[in-house]
Amino acid sequence: MESALIFSPGQLTLCIAIGLIFAGLVALNILFAVIYRVKAERKLHSEQLQQKRQALLDKLAYLKAGGEVESTSWLNYVVEDEDEEDVPDKKYVTVRMAVGEQPPNTEIIEVSGMSPRMRRKLGFRAKRYNGKRFYVRYLLGFDARLRFSDDETKARYIDFMEYVKSYVGVSVSKHFGCHKICLGKDVIGMVLFGGKRICIAFALNPSDYENTKYKAEDKSDKRRFAKTPMFVRVGSDDKLNNAKYLFGELARERGLQQISRKKGKYDLTELTREEMIVTGSVRVVIIDEAPNFAPTKDNRSEFEKAISEPNAVAEEKEEFERLEAVTSEAAATCINAGLEEVENV
């Protein structure tokens, strides 16, 4: 018995032809998608190169006109947030970015340039981290902020802490983001930073002082200040005296006795970034791994290279013009020679 075919030979041929055409269209779409992506990345690179070139030329023109070199400090990459809880000691906060794109307000650090103790602190002791680079930001703890503050702020901090320690039974517990004033296990005050100013939170009811000169901010809606809702910003000597008065009221409520004591010693001199990272005063927030496009031994910035190497700008201009020409040629031939475009890239 002859087997019956569902489709005739002509129909099968037509189906195969349609299938091949469909597969070809899919492949062509994939090819154009790859070409578009390559062109987009090349265009992005060209724009970034042009921006860098223009920035270098502007800075060189500024220097020739008698301007001074601006110093870039790692403090430019500090994260500011006064309302957060004490930040957990996490090394990684990963934010994935496009290939070759540096997240804003980040610095690149290289593992090969770290001392052994800094590598140990950041968890980079393993050999697999050799030669790697990372985009980072920094978190300044209370101690670091105090060391980098002005002399008036340091003097007000010392004055207030000496006053606090004159009461029997009061202790100070040091944390990353603040110093807590404790009476036994109870927290009765916190000393912290709000911007560049010393701030003090008291275990007092802000409404009790609403109509007095000691009126302060009410932070009772913040979990961090649940026990110390009365928040005072100490930006002047008058505010410091108000803060000392409020702490005296708090001590009187708790029945604390005040005595005279010897003044303590306070070392508030500035330390290096590495010293503060190793001691825990500064935390490194690693955003993502940085691509290794350049040799890791040369840590100079592009601007420094342009100043020290007269041909750097000319070479960068030549590279930009070469890439621009290649991009223009690719745009004209991408449809007729798509495969060649991808291979040349």
Side-chain angles (χ1 to χ4, degrees):
M1 182 176 180
E2 296 183 0
S3 59
L5 295 175
I6 298 176
F7 298 105
S8 66
Q11 291 175 327
L12 285 174
T13 303
L14 181 61
C15 289
I16 293 172
I18 292 174
L20 290 175
I21 293 173
F22 179 77
L25 290 174
V26 171
L28 191 61
N29 283 334
I30 294 174
L31 175 62
F32 282 131
V34 172
I35 293 174
Y36 177 80
R37 180 176 177 181
V38 170
K39 285 173 57 62
E41 290 179 357
R42 179 176 289 172
K43 182 180 179 181
L44 175 63
H45 180 72
S46 298
E47 290 175 352
Q48 291 175 340
L49 187 58
Q50 186 177 17
Q51 290 172 359
K52 290 178 181 179
R53 170 179 170 272
Q54 188 59 47
L56 287 171
L57 291 174
D58 290 344
K59 288 180 180 179
L60 285 174
Y62 171 74
L63 285 176
K64 289 178 181 178
E68 296 181 356
V69 178
E70 296 180 1
S71 59
T72 302
S73 168
W74 64 276
L75 292 173
N76 294 344
Y77 309 103
V78 168
V79 180
E80 298 280 354
D81 199 340
E82 65 178 88
D83 290 330
E84 287 294 324
E85 298 284 345
D86 277 352
V87 181
D89 195 4
K90 289 184 178 179
K91 188 180 58 181
Y92 285 96
V93 180
T94 302
V95 179
R96 293 291 177 187
M97 306 295 290
V99 175
E101 183 178 351
Q102 181 169 351
N105 192 33
T106 57
E107 182 181 37
I108 295 178
I109 61 170
E110 301 175 2
V111 176
S112 59
M114 297 179 186
S115 67
R117 61 176 186 168
M118 188 165 171
R119 288 186 66 161
R120 183 167 57 250
K121 178 69 176 180
L122 297 181
F124 290 149
R125 294 181 64 182
K127 290 183 179 179
R128 67 177 181 271
Y129 293 111
N130 290 346
K132 288 188 177 294
R133 312 187 319 154
F134 295 91
Y135 298 126
V136 302
R137 298 188 184 111
Y138 302 95
L139 292 172
L140 296 188
F142 181 86
D143 178 71
R145 288 176 180 270
L146 188 58
R147 290 180 185 276
F148 284 115
S149 64
D150 55 48
D151 292 339
E152 290 182 349
T153 300
K154 291 176 181 177
R156 289 172 189 144
Y157 166 79
I158 293 173
D159 193 345
F160 182 76
M161 296 309 295
E162 288 294 328
Y163 181 76
V164 167
K165 292 176 181 179
S166 69
Y167 285 91
V168 179
V170 173
S171 62
V172 177
S173 175
K174 295 183 179 181
H175 298 261
F176 177 78
C178 67
H179 286 180
K180 293 182 179 180
I181 303 169
C182 303
L183 186 60
K185 293 184 179 180
D186 293 334
V187 178
I188 61 174
M190 283 199 304
V191 185
L192 62 159
F193 270 89
K196 295 183 179 181
R197 290 185 292 179
I198 286 284
C199 299
I200 305 166
F202 299 95
L204 294 170
N205 187 356
S207 61
D208 293 343
Y209 298 87
E210 185 69 28
N211 298 319
T212 71
K213 71 174 185 176
Y214 305 106
K215 180 180 177 181
E217 297 177 43
D218 186 352
K219 294 278 189 178
S220 57
D221 59 331
K222 302 288 185 181
R223 187 167 62 91
R224 184 183 188 185
F225 300 100
K227 295 181 179 179
T228 56
M230 191 164 181
F231 190 83
V232 176
R233 299 179 186 270
V234 184
S236 65
D237 291 339
D238 289 339
K239 292 290 186 181
L240 172 64
N241 291 331
N242 291 348
K244 290 166 71 174
Y245 171 82
L246 290 171
F247 189 81
E249 289 292 292
L250 181 59
R252 183 179 59 79
E253 287 182 9
R254 302 298 178 104
L256 301 181
Q257 181 183 0
Q258 187 177 22
I259 60 173
S260 60
R261 288 183 175 180
K262 275 188 175 183
K263 288 190 174 182
K265 294 182 179 180
Y266 299 85
D267 179 12
L268 301 179
T269 56
E270 292 185 15
L271 301 176
T272 65
R273 169 176 51 179
E274 179 176 322
E275 288 172 329
M276 287 189 289
I277 290 174
V278 170
T279 58
S281 297
V282 171
R283 291 178 181 169
V284 180
V285 180
I286 298 181
I287 306 300
D288 205 350
E289 185 175 344
N292 236 336
F293 291 144
T296 57
K297 291 183 180 180
D298 191 354
N299 294 324
R300 294 180 301 167
S301 67
E302 293 180 8
F303 179 48
E304 290 171 331
K305 290 178 184 178
I307 301 303
S308 61
E309 302 174 10
N311 295 327
V313 174
E315 290 174 359
E316 186 134 358
K317 179 181 178 181
E318 182 180 346
E319 174 67 9
F320 169 72
E321 291 174 347
R322 186 186 69 80
L323 286 173
E324 189 177 43
V326 172
T327 303
S328 299
E329 182 181 353
T333 60
C334 66
I335 295 177
N336 297 325
L339 287 173
E340 184 181 352
E341 168 73 10
V342 174
E343 291 172 357
N344 289 336
V345 172

